[in-house]
Amino acid sequence: MPSSRIAVSGSSGLIGAALVRSLRADGHEVARLVRRPARSGDEVAWDPRRSHVDVAGLVGCDAVVHLAGAGVGDHRWTDAYKREIRDSRVLGTAAIAEAVASLDSPPRVLLSGSAIGFYGDTGDRAVDESAPPGHGFLPSVCEEWEAATAPAEEAGIRTVHARTGLVVAREGGAWGKLFPLFKAGLGGRLGNGRQYWSFIALHDHVAALRHILDTESLTGAVNLTGPDPVTNAEVTAAMGRVLHRPTLFTAPAPALRIALGEFAGDVLGSQRVLPGKLLDSGFSFAFPGVDAAIRAALR
């Protein structure tokens, strides 16, 4: 993509911050959506709860990347927090989609976040973007989340749903919580360890987002996962190898259910998700294996 103006929501999060750094390093102008009055020319005010976006700040944008949303694993899943998870995604996405659709010269692409939670528990069965939604809270949220981009699609804007897997990074996200435990020698399997984890290195995730922005043929759902999902037991062994630490501990399923409540079902669930569209479009992973992804996170 030639030097462009690109708006990014969720720019202070793990993925958003890395994407902004990457775009700016290549000479792109980035407009960050912020939930307060804009203080500089590179900020655009928005309030997802009120479905408000300062549309004037999006004028001239070639692309909009929408990554904002409450963290799924940040709190216990009370009814109130489940509403926060759902509303932060669905209401925010609808506000962004309506704003870009209202522009006289809309962006070429809306790249909106989603998650492999769309597929639910797939067990040992490998799935790609052609698979139907699963059952449960997260699949239902993902369906609503993706449907909220309809105004942009109806306006003729190329719209992509980036269904993200477990991002391997030290700085945050679910994997970021594992590094301190394993470094302290307290890491181990979760449950029986046979559940599949579909991971992606942070470097590859940002590169995949950039690839989607540049690839006109990519539309709809695109899985952002590495090509080789592994089981939790294999993740545990890899963390031990790379960090040179023992991995003797196990968190039994009953204990996880007590500690995490309803969210434990997703921690113990299996998601064997493949990046079909990315591979078909010619994307190459720099860190396809779990050991390499972990090492990349430690750089």
Side-chain angles (χ1 to χ4, degrees):
M1 179 186 290
S3 182
S4 305
R5 177 175 167 83
I6 301 170
V8 180
S9 76
S11 62
S12 62
L14 172 68
I15 297 168
L19 176 63
V20 169
R21 288 193 299 270
S22 174
L23 290 169
R24 285 180 169 166
D26 285 343
H28 296 288
E29 178 186 353
V30 178
R32 298 178 299 110
L33 276 77
V34 296
R35 301 180 194 186
R36 53 170 171 74
R39 296 172 183 163
S40 62
D42 71 341
E43 294 183 343
V44 178
W46 81 309
D47 185 343
R49 290 186 177 278
R50 294 196 300 114
S51 298
H52 170 73
V53 180
D54 180 5
V55 177
L58 300 181
V59 171
C61 285
D62 297 287
V64 174
V65 183
H66 172 46
L67 302 173
V72 170
D74 290 357
H75 299 278
R76 192 178 181 88
W77 281 8
T78 62
D79 288 344
Y81 195 65
K82 286 167 71 174
R83 283 195 299 274
E84 174 68 14
I85 290 171
R86 183 262 178 200
D87 290 350
S88 69
R89 285 159 173 74
V90 177
L91 299 181
T93 301
I96 295 289
E98 290 166 5
V100 298
S102 72
L103 292 168
D104 291 334
S105 297
R108 294 184 301 101
V109 57
L110 170 60
L111 173 50
S112 186
S114 186
I116 62 170
F118 176 93
Y119 303 106
D121 190 335
T122 72
D124 293 337
R125 176 174 54 94
V127 299
D128 62 13
E129 292 89 350
S130 65
H135 303 284
F137 172 65
L138 285 183
S140 69
V141 168
C142 289
E143 281 195 274
E144 288 190 82
W145 190 3
E146 295 182 6
T149 63
E153 295 175 64
E154 292 165 2
I157 300 168
R158 178 167 70 92
T159 302
V160 181
H161 306 115
R163 292 179 180 166
T164 296
L166 291 168
V167 178
V168 186
R170 290 189 294 179
E171 303 91 336
W175 212 289
K177 297 175 182 179
L178 297 180
F179 277 106
L181 289 173
F182 278 87
K183 284 183 175 180
L186 300 175
R189 293 196 324 270
L190 301 180
N192 61 27
R194 292 195 294 268
Q195 68 273 31
Y196 274 90
W197 281 20
S198 294
F199 68 91
I200 184 169
L202 178 60
H203 173 93
D204 281 333
H205 194 287
V206 171
L209 292 174
R210 298 283 304 268
H211 176 77
I212 290 169
L213 291 177
D214 291 340
T215 307
E216 294 292 332
S217 62
L218 285 172
T219 61
V222 178
N223 293 335
L224 268 62
T225 61
D228 298 306
V230 294
T231 65
N232 174 256
E234 291 172 312
V235 167
T236 299
M239 290 287 280
R241 282 193 302 271
V242 174
L243 297 173
H244 306 292
R245 294 291 189 275
T247 57
L248 303 177
F249 290 86
T250 299
L256 285 171
R257 291 190 178 95
I258 292 171
L260 302 178
E262 186 179 348
F263 181 51
D266 289 89
V267 171
L268 295 167
S270 182
Q271 292 192 304
R272 192 176 182 184
V273 180
L274 302 178
K277 285 188 176 181
L278 275 182
L279 293 174
D280 289 347
S281 67
F283 180 77
S284 296
F285 289 87
F287 306 101
V290 66
D291 289 61
I294 294 168
R295 290 192 181 97
L298 294 172
R299 290 180 176 178

